Amino acid sequence: MGLNGKKAIVTGGRRGIGRAIVEILAQRGADVLMADRNLEECMVVAEEISLATGQRIIPASVDVTDAAQTRSMIDLAQKEFGRIDILVNNAGVTRDTLIMRMEEEDWDVVIDTNLKGVFNCSKAVIRSMMKQRFGRIINISSVSGLAGQVGQTNYSASKAGVIGFTKALAREVASRQITVNAVAPGFVPTALTNDLPEELKEAMMKLTPLGRWGKPEEIAYAVAFFASDEAAYITGQVLSVDGGMMMM
C-alpha cells in the first residue's frame, strides 16, 4: 500500500492519532502538510517526522472552524506540492459533561471543530480534486458517533454528523473518482481521552472484546489503506477500528 509521490493534508496532526497518521503516510512515501493550531509545536514535530522518513512535512497553523484559514491551508498545499491527493480530517475536541450541565459554548465548540471543520476543509479542497479527477478524503469519526456515549451528546452528535457527511459527499463526488470514507476509532489513549473518568475507561475496556486499548498507529494504518490504490473501489464506508467494541 505504497503512497509514493502522493501529497496529503492531515488536520490536527501534531499529536496522538493525527501525528501517527502523518508518520504512517510519510513512511509510505507521501509528502504531508501537517495542520494544527499550535504552530510552534507543529514545526518541531514536522521536523522530527521529516528527518525520520525523508519526506517533506510542512507545518501550518490552521483553525479548521475558520473557512478562510482552511482555504489558505489548501492554497499553501497547492503552492508547495502542486496538487493534493489526500485529505485527512482528523482535528477534533471534546467538552464532555452531562447535558444538564453542558453550556452552549461546550456544544458549539465541539460541533464547530469536529463537524463544521470537516465541512470547511472538504469544501476547500474538493474543487481541485474534481478538476484532477482523483482524491481521497478520510474523515475521523468515532464509535461514539455510532453508538452514543454518556456525557458526550455534543461529541457523539458531531461524530455521527461526520458519518452522514461522509456518505453524502461520497455520492456527490464518486463520478470524479474521488473516494470519501471514515474511520471510527474505539478507545485510544490520547490527549482527548486522558481526562475521562476512570470508571468510564474501565467500562469501555470491558466492552472491548480484544481486551485492550487501541494504539494511534492502528488507526493510522486504516487511514493509509483508505488513501491507497488498493481502496480505489471503496467509498462511503465507515471502518470501526475498535477491538470489536461495535461488533454486530
Side-chain angles (χ1 to χ4, degrees):
M1 293 189 293
L3 298 171
N4 291 333
K6 293 293 192 289
K7 312 301 180 183
I9 295 173
V10 179
T11 66
R14 173 174 56 93
R15 60 185 182 180
I17 290 172
R19 174 171 178 157
I21 292 170
V22 175
E23 290 175 336
I24 296 300
L25 295 184
Q27 287 171 13
R28 298 190 179 186
D31 294 323
V32 185
L33 186 145
M34 175 194 293
D36 200 277
R37 286 184 176 180
N38 190 321
L39 180 59
E40 185 175 343
E41 292 186 19
C42 195
M43 292 173 66
V44 173
V45 174
E47 184 176 4
E48 291 175 355
I49 297 175
S50 182
L51 288 172
T53 63
Q55 298 301 127
R56 290 188 69 195
I57 311 297
I58 299 174
S61 176
V62 179
D63 179 352
V64 298
T65 69
D66 187 313
Q69 289 192 35
T70 60
R71 289 193 296 269
S72 295
M73 172 186 70
I74 298 304
D75 290 343
L76 175 61
Q78 289 280 13
K79 178 182 177 181
E80 294 292 333
F81 295 148
R83 60 183 285 130
I84 302 166
D85 301 296
I86 302 159
L87 169 66
V88 183
N89 286 308
N90 169 74
V93 298
T94 57
R95 291 283 186 91
D96 293 352
T97 188
L98 297 174
I99 196 167
M100 291 184 295
R101 301 171 185 164
M102 187 176 292
E103 301 292 338
E104 185 176 359
E105 181 188 5
D106 297 327
W107 176 271
D108 289 344
V109 167
V110 172
I111 296 296
D112 283 352
T113 304
N114 299 0
L115 183 54
K116 184 181 178 183
V118 172
F119 163 77
N120 283 340
C121 296
S122 300
K123 180 177 172 62
V125 80
I126 204 68
R127 189 178 299 275
S128 65
M129 285 186 172
M130 292 182 74
K131 186 176 181 179
Q132 68 195 21
R133 302 187 70 87
F134 179 87
R136 300 281 188 265
I137 297 176
I138 302 107
N139 301 319
I140 304 302
S141 181
S142 169
V143 292
S144 293
L146 292 168
Q149 187 59 252
V150 173
Q152 288 192 326
T153 52
N154 49 4
Y155 186 76
S156 295
S158 71
K159 292 303 188 178
V162 167
I163 291 171
F165 179 93
T166 297
K167 293 177 179 293
L169 182 59
R171 289 186 181 276
E172 286 188 21
V173 299
S175 65
R176 297 301 181 97
Q177 303 306 306
I178 301 166
T179 65
V180 188
N181 293 289
V183 175
F187 188 76
V188 179
T190 67
L192 292 184
T193 59
N194 286 341
D195 295 332
L196 291 176
E198 287 302 319
E199 58 269 23
L200 179 56
K201 294 180 182 179
E202 293 175 6
M204 295 179 74
M205 178 69 79
K206 291 178 181 177
L207 291 173
T208 305
L210 284 182
R212 66 173 177 85
W213 297 335
K215 302 173 184 177
E217 58 268 30
E218 291 175 316
I219 310 304
Y221 294 141
V223 171
F225 169 67
F226 277 140
S228 72
D229 290 342
E230 285 83 350
Y233 200 55
I234 302 172
T235 195
Q237 301 303 305
V238 182
L239 176 59
S240 295
V241 184
D242 60 7
M245 185 184 296
M246 295 302 299
M247 196 182 303
M248 295 180 182

